[in-house]
Every structure is written in structure tokens, then in C-alpha cells.
Amino acid sequence: MLAAARRDESQRRAVLQEPCFFSSVPPQPVPPLTQTLQGYLKALEPLLPPEELSHTRRMVQEFGRPGGLGPHLQEGLEKRARRTKNWISDWWVQWAYLESRQPLAVHSNPAISLPRRDFNDWRSQLVFASKLIAAVLDFKAKIGQLPVEYMRGKPLCMELYPLLFSSCRIPGPKHDYVAHHGNARRSPTHITVVRNYQFFQLEVYNSDGSRMTESQIRGQLLRIRSQSWKTDKEPMGILTSEHRHTWGEAYNRLLRDKLNQESVRMIETGLFSLCLDSPVLRISDEKYASRKAAQVLHGGGTFSNSGNRWFDKTLQFVVGEDGSWGLLYEQATAEGPPITNLLHHILEYCEKPDPKKAPLVPLPMPKKLYFHIDLDIKRDIEQAKQNLDILINDLDVNVFNFKRFGKELPKKHNLSPNSFIQVALQLAYYRSVSGQEAKLQLFREAVDAYSDLTDQALKGHGIDHHLLGLKLQAIEEGLSIPKIFMDTAYGLATHWKLRTGQVPTNTDSVMCFGPLVPDGYAVCYNPQADHFHFSVTAFNCCEETNAETLARTLKNTLCDLQELLQPTV
């Protein structure tokens, strides 16, 4: 929590893994109450006028006094921490994701757009798609052998890896839940392939349990192509882009029919989804990178590829006919480190030749999934199409490659590259609304302060998680919500105007997602040795924000910081 109330998804991902039972991962501690309350007040200083700050300070002191409500709730959290390996993770997933009623498209699911493959025709699209499927299956087979990962010397939980496959978010009236089918007695052996809004169940293992070869998969994808020529089918996947309550009601209507039940279950239980998209409209090279990222994120609209998505699915790989490709994932289950490793494995695998010859075994036809669409469902689809197109037209996506320098520059000056970018983002944000100047000493202090906050978060001492835990503890005990959380200052501090995320991969990929609030920005970055990839998004409906302006200001800010660290005069 900092000025311009920002939420850093990459930092959060490192800390908030599912409950974990690997002995190398220490339990999540409950930070000392006094430390958190002091940190909270310090974070509010740049956000509040003196009068309001004094009012909030009195409220915080009242909350934290010995014998007061704060110490009582702290005790409850410490008891909870003794009973579980990670006292916040279940609460966090529930509160941050599953209880959110916003559409998953744009608002929640992150997209990763990867470097374009060198092809521009449907045959090569299927060749690459079959290699991609084989690569993901190879990664899945190796999950048990992966070594424990570390971030800044702290072990990360590996429990999420098996949950990436055969899982899906299910809409509910008040909150969603995630269904994991990978641990079933007979775990699923199929994936879902979507082309021209039509869904297919594709078995990817032979009857003896061996994985299908690339040429076997390619043959099956050719069969799918021959069964999905036209886009004259209702785009069922569009329903999953709706507001969660609306989709929950439509989901229940859809599942009244047995045929629909079976088709939806096949999509939900599949290992992952593959979306075979039609080409992205290429206007100019400059706009193509932004359009490619937007395509993975939301499909480009109901007249483009949005009907090829099932936004509730944990993993959806997108392969376009024009060589564009990427991954869209649902983050109640999928998180940073596993996704990064999965993509790294795919890219390495794609460099290798096809290792196996296809056995001469006749394969069953991929099964087309049919839906019975009554008037109610037809109306639901039409409404979802309208709403998704409005959302897509409202989102401005600006992807650019900053080539003047990369992470080697801050490293050379003993500055953390991640903290360097985060402070540059803060500075660019404030410049785009006010125009402040940075000086070297202040800049170093700001970068160090951000690094300290990251370290605190990795130790489990993040302010926002602890405050949220205290609030949820009060609710769990049936107490009225403490005044400190009803204060306007808390609302201001948790109105995340800057949503950020880092993709720490060795490849030129770009992550992209929408802002958390209507008057906010989302900025993702990928630091490479001599350049940075950025994506900036904002909503057009807000007059105060403009993705192009922030992108331009960010470029200028980075150039100014280079001059600050390495004066040319």
C-alpha cells in the first residue's frame, strides 16, 4: 500500500499460494499488530490531508490500544495461524477472487501474449498447436519432479502445480467456487478444442496410457477443422464473460438440460482448453502488439474470436492463424511462478524436433459438444454479447517495447530492477496527473523503500493482508465491522488505482489485464537485460485516465531516470 494506492499482483502471487504442506515452506506468520498499524498510517500520509490523517490516527490508536478490539482480533488470527499453514490464503482467494462479481474477462483473468510464430496459414497453425499440446502434456508429466523454487531466498509453495489441470471456476449466486477434477479416481484424459465457437472433446492419451504424439494430435486437429467450417453456431463461451451473478443464473438455466450438462462438464473437466483463432486484423506493426495482447485477453469482440473462450477455465491456450499465440488463465487457481515455469517449458519444448513416430492405430473421432439452446438461453447469449462488446470497446490496450535500456542499468547502480520499475510507474502516474521532479537521492530512497516493502510481503508482513485478516476475523466472530475499516481512509487506501504485474521470463512475452477500478490503470512489465516490455490498460469511459498518455509519460520518465543515473553532461 503506497501513494496512488497500488496493487502489485506479482508480489502478491509470490506470497499467497494455496495451503501448502512442503516442509521447506515455513508457515505464514501473523505480523505484529503495532507494526502493521504504524505501516498503515505511514502509507496514508501522502494520500490524506492533515485533518483527515489526524482523525484516522485517533481511530487507529483506539483500535490498537491494549484491551481494545485490535488485540482481541489479533489473538483470533494467531489462533487461526496455529491451526493452518497459511492463515490468509483461503480468505484471500475467497475475498479477492471468488466473491468478486465482476466479469472474469478483462477485469480478472490475466493474458500473456508470446512472440509471434513464423507462420500465416491454417496448416502451420495446426502444426504449432499440436506441438503446444504435446509440450503442456510433457510439463504435466514432470510436475512431481520439479524442484522447490525460491524468491529472494524464500521457498515458494509448489502445491498449485497439479491444480492447474482439469480445474475450472464455477459461478454461484453470492460467490464462485473452483472445481478440481484432476484428483478424481479416473482423472480426465481429454482437452477441449474450440474453433469457430464450436467446442470439441479431444482425447490426448492412447488406450495404453501413453501420451499422443504430435502427429497423432495434428491428425485429430485436422478432423476438428473439417467439422467446424462456419461460425453460424451460437457462441456459448460468451456467457462466461458476463457479470458473475448473471452468468450464475444463466448457468443454472443451461444445466437444466441433460445434453448441456454433459457438454459443460466436458469443458470443465478437460485438462485445459485450446482456442484456434482466426487471424488478428493487422493495421500497423506499432498497433499489432497491442491488438495481439487484446486478442488473447478477450478475443477481440463477438464478431472476432471472443466466442472461442470459456473464461472460467483455469488454462486456455490461444493460437491464431496469423502466428499470434498466448495463454489466458483464471487466477483463483493459476498463479505467477507455476505459469512462468509452464511457459518456459513450452518454449524450450517447441525448439525440439518431434521425438516420436505416430503408432499406426486408428483414433476415435474427436467428439463435438452440442448444446440445446432454448429462448431463455438465446436471450442470455444476446445480452452477454452486447455487454462484452461494450466492455471490449471501453478498454484501451497499449503495448510497447522500451529499447533504450533494460534491467542491467538499475543493477549496475545497485538498485532492484523490479523496485526501479515500480517507482518509475509511480512517478509516471503522478506526472500524468501533476508533473513532479525526481532527484537521485530521493529516487534511491524510494526504490529502497519499495524493496523493503517487497521483503516484508515475502516474510508475510504485508500491511493489506493483515488488515484484511483483522476485518474478516471480526466478521467470523459475528462482531460488527470495526470503525477503522468503515473510515474513508481505508476505502481510499484500498481503491487500487494502479494494478501492476511482472512477468519474470526470459522470453519477450507481454502480460495484460484490465484495471481494478474504473478510474485506474493496469501496467504489466517484463524486464529483459537491455529492454523492457510494457502493457498499459485503462478504460475509455474515464476522462482522467488514458493508456496512451501514461505509456508516453512512462517512456519519458524512464529516459529521465537514465539521465539521472548516468548524466550525459
Side-chain angles (χ1 to χ4, degrees):
M1 224 186 284
L2 280 171
R6 41 158 295 287
R7 181 160 127 182
D8 178 12
E9 305 276 335
S10 47
Q11 191 183 92
R12 195 167 307 272
R13 279 197 288 269
V15 184
L16 285 164
Q17 307 289 355
E18 288 283 297
C20 183
F21 307 101
F22 286 82
S23 57
S24 61
V25 180
Q28 180 87 346
V30 179
L33 182 63
T34 315
Q35 176 186 300
T36 293
L37 296 180
Q38 282 170 354
Y40 175 52
L41 287 171
K42 192 176 177 190
L44 289 173
E45 281 172 14
L47 297 176
L48 294 179
E51 227 169 86
E52 283 182 40
L53 189 62
S54 299
H55 169 77
T56 299
R57 189 171 275 119
R58 285 194 296 275
M59 209 172 269
V60 168
Q61 283 165 352
E62 172 63 22
F63 178 76
R65 70 178 171 78
L69 186 53
H72 168 77
L73 296 174
Q74 175 79 357
E75 204 177 302
L77 285 186
E78 285 165 357
K79 268 187 197 154
R80 180 183 168 88
R82 285 195 287 274
R83 292 195 308 269
T84 173
K85 187 90 177 172
N86 190 328
W87 61 270
I88 186 70
S89 70
D90 284 353
W91 269 352
W92 174 258
V93 169
Q94 192 69 23
W95 176 84
Y97 303 125
L98 301 179
E99 285 180 11
S100 169
R101 303 289 78 199
Q102 291 269 55
L104 295 186
V106 172
H107 292 285
S108 183
N109 290 5
I112 297 180
S113 171
L114 287 128
R116 185 181 166 271
R117 308 297 296 189
D118 190 19
F119 62 80
N120 214 342
D121 65 289
W122 67 264
R123 281 188 182 82
S124 306
Q125 176 193 26
L126 299 190
V127 168
F128 175 66
S130 56
K131 189 146 198 106
L132 172 61
I133 292 168
V136 179
L137 296 177
D138 189 62
F139 178 82
K140 183 179 181 292
K142 290 185 165 71
I143 278 176
Q145 306 148 28
L146 293 169
V148 171
E149 288 176 69
Y150 289 81
M151 184 173 177
R152 294 199 180 189
K154 301 277 182 294
L156 297 177
C157 174
M158 305 292 282
E159 192 100 325
L160 279 177
Y161 282 82
L163 303 180
L164 292 175
F165 299 98
S166 296
S167 62
C168 193
R169 185 156 157 175
I170 312 292
K174 291 205 172 109
H175 61 82
D176 297 354
Y177 68 93
V178 179
H180 297 292
H181 302 280
N183 297 334
R185 202 157 45 99
R186 289 192 61 206
S187 58
T189 54
H190 71 279
I191 67 167
T192 311
V193 179
V194 206
R195 182 174 181 268
N196 282 343
Y197 316 157
Q198 291 153 80
F199 289 77
F200 293 83
Q201 175 190 348
L202 173 61
E203 290 295 328
V204 287
Y205 292 87
N206 292 302
S207 52
D208 63 357
S210 63
R211 303 198 301 271
M212 278 192 185
T213 64
E214 286 171 41
S215 50
Q216 281 182 306
I217 296 167
R218 188 160 62 251
Q220 294 296 69
L221 292 180
L222 280 165
R223 287 168 134 186
I224 285 173
R225 189 172 190 276
S226 68
Q227 287 187 73
S228 58
W229 284 111
K230 294 182 182 159
T231 54
D232 58 353
K233 298 290 183 287
E234 286 292 348
M236 296 304 295
I238 295 275
L239 288 171
T240 66
S241 71
E242 268 284 25
H243 182 277
R244 301 308 291 171
H245 180 71
T246 311
W247 165 222
E249 289 180 333
Y251 182 84
N252 290 337
R253 279 193 287 278
L254 190 65
L255 264 57
R256 284 185 203 140
D257 181 273
K258 188 134 193 335
L259 178 70
N260 295 344
Q261 257 182 44
E262 285 169 10
S263 295
V264 168
R265 182 159 175 81
M266 279 304 145
I267 296 168
E268 289 174 353
T269 57
L271 294 164
F272 54 90
S273 289
L274 171 75
C275 315
L276 293 172
D277 279 7
S278 54
V280 177
L281 191 62
R282 188 158 195 163
I283 296 173
S284 66
D285 282 357
E286 193 192 344
K287 291 242 165 58
Y288 184 62
S290 301
R291 213 168 263 266
K292 238 173 21 146
Q295 186 73 19
V296 181
L297 183 67
H298 50 56
T302 58
F303 290 100
S304 188
N305 293 296
S306 295
N308 287 351
R309 307 284 181 272
W310 193 270
F311 288 100
D312 293 7
K313 195 70 189 145
T314 303
L315 296 178
Q316 298 188 86
F317 294 92
V318 177
V319 180
E321 218 174 280
D322 57 337
S324 60
W325 72 293
L327 167 64
L328 182 68
Y329 62 96
E330 197 290 300
Q331 52 181 1
T333 300
E335 289 289 7
I339 292 294
T340 301
N341 283 334
L342 168 59
L343 291 175
H344 180 68
H345 185 84
I346 291 168
L347 288 160
E348 276 197 339
Y349 189 96
C350 285
E351 297 309 309
K352 297 173 188 167
D354 185 356
K356 296 191 197 98
K357 294 282 167 278
L360 296 168
V361 190
L363 295 170
M365 197 75 174
K367 185 182 169 192
K368 193 171 198 170
L369 303 179
Y370 290 96
F371 292 90
H372 176 247
I373 297 164
D374 60 20
L375 281 174
D376 284 342
I377 299 297
K378 172 92 176 123
R379 205 166 30 241
D380 290 335
I381 292 170
E382 287 309 311
Q383 189 61 56
K385 281 160 82 170
Q386 280 181 31
N387 290 341
L388 181 59
D389 281 338
I390 289 167
L391 177 60
I392 287 171
N393 290 330
D394 191 24
L395 186 75
D396 189 9
V397 178
N398 190 303
V399 169
F400 66 93
N401 182 357
F402 181 82
K403 294 179 177 173
R404 273 188 57 166
F405 64 88
K407 61 183 176 184
E408 288 306 317
L409 177 75
K411 275 184 176 175
K412 206 164 90 179
H413 294 271
N414 295 322
L415 295 166
S416 149
N418 182 48
S419 303
F420 174 89
I421 297 175
Q422 284 286 341
V423 174
L425 287 176
Q426 292 265 335
L427 182 57
Y429 174 83
Y430 276 109
R431 279 182 165 186
S432 68
V433 293
S434 69
Q436 300 179 5
E437 281 303 319
K439 291 288 175 279
L440 188 55
Q441 187 54 33
L442 288 170
F443 179 69
R444 280 190 178 280
E445 284 173 16
V447 172
D448 291 345
Y450 185 84
S451 295
D452 289 346
L453 284 172
T454 304
D455 286 339
Q456 288 296 318
L458 285 169
K459 288 176 192 159
H461 285 199
I463 302 166
D464 43 355
H465 297 158
H466 191 190
L467 290 172
L468 175 68
L470 293 162
K471 180 182 173 182
L472 296 177
Q473 183 64 29
I475 293 167
E476 191 148 291
E477 290 185 25
L479 304 169
S480 56
I481 293 176
K483 284 180 193 164
I484 184 178
F485 302 117
M486 307 300 280
D487 183 24
T488 50
Y490 187 69
L492 185 68
T494 51
H495 183 79
W496 314 106
K497 284 197 174 186
L498 208 46
R499 179 189 187 189
T500 63
Q502 181 189 181
V503 197
T505 61
N506 293 330
T507 177
D508 287 322
S509 57
V510 183
M511 188 159 71
C512 180
F513 41 54
L516 285 168
V517 292
D519 58 341
Y521 288 103
V523 184
C524 299
Y525 51 95
N526 177 357
Q528 297 296 304
D530 59 358
H531 61 279
F532 296 110
H533 288 283
F534 287 99
S535 76
V536 180
T537 63
F539 291 117
N540 294 319
C541 64
C542 177
E543 290 180 7
E544 297 163 33
T545 58
N546 183 298
E548 202 174 321
T549 304
L550 185 62
R552 192 170 54 247
T553 313
L554 180 54
K555 289 174 198 170
N556 293 338
T557 300
L558 288 166
C559 292
D560 291 348
L561 291 173
Q562 182 184 24
E563 179 64 26
L564 194 66
L565 292 171
Q566 295 181 328
T568 47
V569 183

